[in-house]
Amino acid sequence: MNMHTSPVIAPPAPRTLGEMRLPMVMMRDILLKTIFRKNVDTVTEIAKAICLPVPVTQELVDLARSQKLVEATGTLHAGAGNEMGFQLTDSGKARALDALSQSEYYGAMPVPLEVYSEQVKRQSIRNIQITREQLTGAMGHLILPNELLDHLGPAVSAGRSILMYGPPGNGKSSISNGIRDALGDKIYIPRAIEYSGQVITVYDPIVHSAAEEIVDDPTSLRRTSGRFDTRYVLCERPTVITGGELSLSMLDLVYNPTARTYQAPLQLKSTGGIFIVDDLGRQEEPPQSLVNRWIVPLEESKDILALQSGEKFEVPFDTLVIFSTNFHPNEIFDRAALRRIFFKIKIDGPCQEDFLKIFALVARKKKMPIDEETLIYLLKEKYSTIDNEYANYQPVFLIDQMISVCEFEGIPYQMNPDLIDRAWANMFVREEQIVH
């Protein structure tokens, strides 16, 4: 899908060691640990392992050599363009082991927090402009009233916060996913960031779907890796979906005492993308306290995290937060919290006319012939017993049930009052059927 915004500006690769803005000792130690753990011995291999350009890696290797931590093996690797091999000296090994005991982290050099913050601005979710076509395109499989899109579009384009509420089974979750699909462009996610000498890993293959990687051809003159800083991974805009399992502690840095490194919390992983809190009100913590935790980030576009030492620091907060709940907002929030959520959108069940549209659409898709008399029976005899309350999930449910019966009985797909009765019985469990 074409976004109406220009492609995200890639993070420029560092050209010298001085441009890295990381503590020199930290960089040297990550180099030693990586050589030790990954057994890489040419500058090209080391550069790939620590995700830095070859000239910068060469500078780092020279620094370690001058400190007698790395030495040349004196053998040229014919397979690697006649490159010199390097290995750790005894004091280099000792230093690597010492560094590993302080932090197990090795591999990609982290990106300093302030450098990452600049990239966040370049790819902000607030820069996104979504058109009605894009939104309808992504929601194509849902039948939504026009006025709903009138509310949704500006809410998404503002990149602020959205609360969707209304009875269950009407597609709040599908709409959240549709918003995600409408975004459609790509951003750069750092493998790890650094703050105050601590490493925080950000890239998470479960949350971030990496775009196809450009494979480097070492023989080509124009090296592709110069295009952007390979300490980042080019990904779809991330989407984090949480539900009843969400707790406040999930929004804190996760410290791994064995590796002595941190893992970014969910909202930091979703930077530049969407954070969906589904089923708000089903968590152990009251919704009010969950929303209070988001208030400062939502208003000031920054979040406060704390290290093990208790030191607090600011990280960018650039996420479209979507809360979705089956409760009425007034039941779960006070006025102050509601005022802070920018857009509140009610997602209702369909009216009878839309319900029939959805029913016809699903039937056509599933090759189920429609019988008008059966439909009249469904509306008059069945829906009248539940105050004509329609929900978006019901047509699919009823038609699937009828199909299952037809397939079991070995008869062609059809609908009749008897099949409707059987399907309906499965949609609503009668009270007296429950045996305690």
mmCIF file with all atom_site columns, all heavy atoms in Angstrom, residues 194-198 307 311:
data_model
loop_
_atom_site.group_PDB
_atom_site.id
_atom_site.type_symbol
_atom_site.label_atom_id
_atom_site.label_alt_id
_atom_site.label_comp_id
_atom_site.label_asym_id
_atom_site.label_entity_id
_atom_site.label_seq_id
_atom_site.pdbx_PDB_ins_code
_atom_site.Cartn_x
_atom_site.Cartn_y
_atom_site.Cartn_z
_atom_site.occupancy
_atom_site.B_iso_or_equiv
_atom_site.pdbx_formal_charge
_atom_site.auth_seq_id
_atom_site.auth_comp_id
_atom_site.auth_asym_id
_atom_site.auth_atom_id
_atom_site.pdbx_PDB_model_num
ATOM 1  N N   . GLU A 1 194 ? 21.972 1.937  24.212 1.00 0.00 ? 194 GLU A N   1
ATOM 2  C CA  . GLU A 1 194 ? 22.851 2.089  25.376 1.00 0.00 ? 194 GLU A CA  1
ATOM 3  C C   . GLU A 1 194 ? 22.458 3.335  26.141 1.00 0.00 ? 194 GLU A C   1
ATOM 4  O O   . GLU A 1 194 ? 22.185 4.383  25.557 1.00 0.00 ? 194 GLU A O   1
ATOM 5  C CB  . GLU A 1 194 ? 24.306 2.207  24.891 1.00 0.00 ? 194 GLU A CB  1
ATOM 6  C CG  . GLU A 1 194 ? 25.322 2.531  25.977 1.00 0.00 ? 194 GLU A CG  1
ATOM 7  C CD  . GLU A 1 194 ? 25.520 4.037  26.221 1.00 0.00 ? 194 GLU A CD  1
ATOM 8  O OE1 . GLU A 1 194 ? 25.139 4.859  25.357 1.00 0.00 ? 194 GLU A OE1 1
ATOM 9  O OE2 . GLU A 1 194 ? 26.073 4.388  27.283 1.00 0.00 ? 194 GLU A OE2 1
ATOM 10 N N   . TYR A 1 195 ? 22.382 3.198  27.468 1.00 0.00 ? 195 TYR A N   1
ATOM 11 C CA  . TYR A 1 195 ? 22.200 4.374  28.302 1.00 0.00 ? 195 TYR A CA  1
ATOM 12 C C   . TYR A 1 195 ? 23.073 4.182  29.534 1.00 0.00 ? 195 TYR A C   1
ATOM 13 O O   . TYR A 1 195 ? 23.010 3.136  30.189 1.00 0.00 ? 195 TYR A O   1
ATOM 14 C CB  . TYR A 1 195 ? 20.721 4.560  28.730 1.00 0.00 ? 195 TYR A CB  1
ATOM 15 C CG  . TYR A 1 195 ? 20.580 5.632  29.773 1.00 0.00 ? 195 TYR A CG  1
ATOM 16 C CD1 . TYR A 1 195 ? 20.639 6.977  29.408 1.00 0.00 ? 195 TYR A CD1 1
ATOM 17 C CD2 . TYR A 1 195 ? 20.476 5.319  31.130 1.00 0.00 ? 195 TYR A CD2 1
ATOM 18 C CE1 . TYR A 1 195 ? 20.583 7.976  30.365 1.00 0.00 ? 195 TYR A CE1 1
ATOM 19 C CE2 . TYR A 1 195 ? 20.418 6.302  32.093 1.00 0.00 ? 195 TYR A CE2 1
ATOM 20 C CZ  . TYR A 1 195 ? 20.477 7.640  31.704 1.00 0.00 ? 195 TYR A CZ  1
ATOM 21 O OH  . TYR A 1 195 ? 20.439 8.625  32.646 1.00 0.00 ? 195 TYR A OH  1
ATOM 22 N N   . SER A 1 196 ? 23.902 5.173  29.821 1.00 0.00 ? 196 SER A N   1
ATOM 23 C CA  . SER A 1 196 ? 24.713 5.172  31.034 1.00 0.00 ? 196 SER A CA  1
ATOM 24 C C   . SER A 1 196 ? 25.536 3.875  31.183 1.00 0.00 ? 196 SER A C   1
ATOM 25 O O   . SER A 1 196 ? 25.622 3.303  32.258 1.00 0.00 ? 196 SER A O   1
ATOM 26 C CB  . SER A 1 196 ? 23.758 5.367  32.230 1.00 0.00 ? 196 SER A CB  1
ATOM 27 O OG  . SER A 1 196 ? 24.456 5.374  33.432 1.00 0.00 ? 196 SER A OG  1
ATOM 28 N N   . GLY A 1 197 ? 26.066 3.406  30.041 1.00 0.00 ? 197 GLY A N   1
ATOM 29 C CA  . GLY A 1 197 ? 26.919 2.215  30.072 1.00 0.00 ? 197 GLY A CA  1
ATOM 30 C C   . GLY A 1 197 ? 26.149 0.902  30.151 1.00 0.00 ? 197 GLY A C   1
ATOM 31 O O   . GLY A 1 197 ? 26.746 -0.170 30.169 1.00 0.00 ? 197 GLY A O   1
ATOM 32 N N   . GLN A 1 198 ? 24.797 0.986  30.186 1.00 0.00 ? 198 GLN A N   1
ATOM 33 C CA  . GLN A 1 198 ? 23.981 -0.238 30.250 1.00 0.00 ? 198 GLN A CA  1
ATOM 34 C C   . GLN A 1 198 ? 23.410 -0.546 28.870 1.00 0.00 ? 198 GLN A C   1
ATOM 35 O O   . GLN A 1 198 ? 23.032 0.366  28.127 1.00 0.00 ? 198 GLN A O   1
ATOM 36 C CB  . GLN A 1 198 ? 22.809 -0.059 31.230 1.00 0.00 ? 198 GLN A CB  1
ATOM 37 C CG  . GLN A 1 198 ? 23.234 0.257  32.653 1.00 0.00 ? 198 GLN A CG  1
ATOM 38 C CD  . GLN A 1 198 ? 23.990 -0.885 33.296 1.00 0.00 ? 198 GLN A CD  1
ATOM 39 O OE1 . GLN A 1 198 ? 23.679 -2.055 33.091 1.00 0.00 ? 198 GLN A OE1 1
ATOM 40 N NE2 . GLN A 1 198 ? 25.025 -0.559 34.073 1.00 0.00 ? 198 GLN A NE2 1
ATOM 41 N N   . LEU A 1 307 ? 16.641 1.989  35.953 1.00 0.00 ? 307 LEU A N   1
ATOM 42 C CA  . LEU A 1 307 ? 17.648 0.927  35.970 1.00 0.00 ? 307 LEU A CA  1
ATOM 43 C C   . LEU A 1 307 ? 17.601 0.226  37.332 1.00 0.00 ? 307 LEU A C   1
ATOM 44 O O   . LEU A 1 307 ? 16.979 0.722  38.275 1.00 0.00 ? 307 LEU A O   1
ATOM 45 C CB  . LEU A 1 307 ? 19.046 1.522  35.756 1.00 0.00 ? 307 LEU A CB  1
ATOM 46 C CG  . LEU A 1 307 ? 19.292 2.199  34.393 1.00 0.00 ? 307 LEU A CG  1
ATOM 47 C CD1 . LEU A 1 307 ? 20.632 2.920  34.405 1.00 0.00 ? 307 LEU A CD1 1
ATOM 48 C CD2 . LEU A 1 307 ? 19.258 1.172  33.272 1.00 0.00 ? 307 LEU A CD2 1
ATOM 49 N N   . GLU A 1 311 ? 18.298 4.496  39.139 1.00 0.00 ? 311 GLU A N   1
ATOM 50 C CA  . GLU A 1 311 ? 18.424 5.694  38.313 1.00 0.00 ? 311 GLU A CA  1
ATOM 51 C C   . GLU A 1 311 ? 17.322 5.725  37.256 1.00 0.00 ? 311 GLU A C   1
ATOM 52 O O   . GLU A 1 311 ? 17.082 4.739  36.550 1.00 0.00 ? 311 GLU A O   1
ATOM 53 C CB  . GLU A 1 311 ? 19.801 5.700  37.612 1.00 0.00 ? 311 GLU A CB  1
ATOM 54 C CG  . GLU A 1 311 ? 20.014 6.950  36.777 1.00 0.00 ? 311 GLU A CG  1
ATOM 55 C CD  . GLU A 1 311 ? 21.317 6.926  35.981 1.00 0.00 ? 311 GLU A CD  1
ATOM 56 O OE1 . GLU A 1 311 ? 22.144 6.022  36.188 1.00 0.00 ? 311 GLU A OE1 1
ATOM 57 O OE2 . GLU A 1 311 ? 21.488 7.829  35.154 1.00 0.00 ? 311 GLU A OE2 1
#
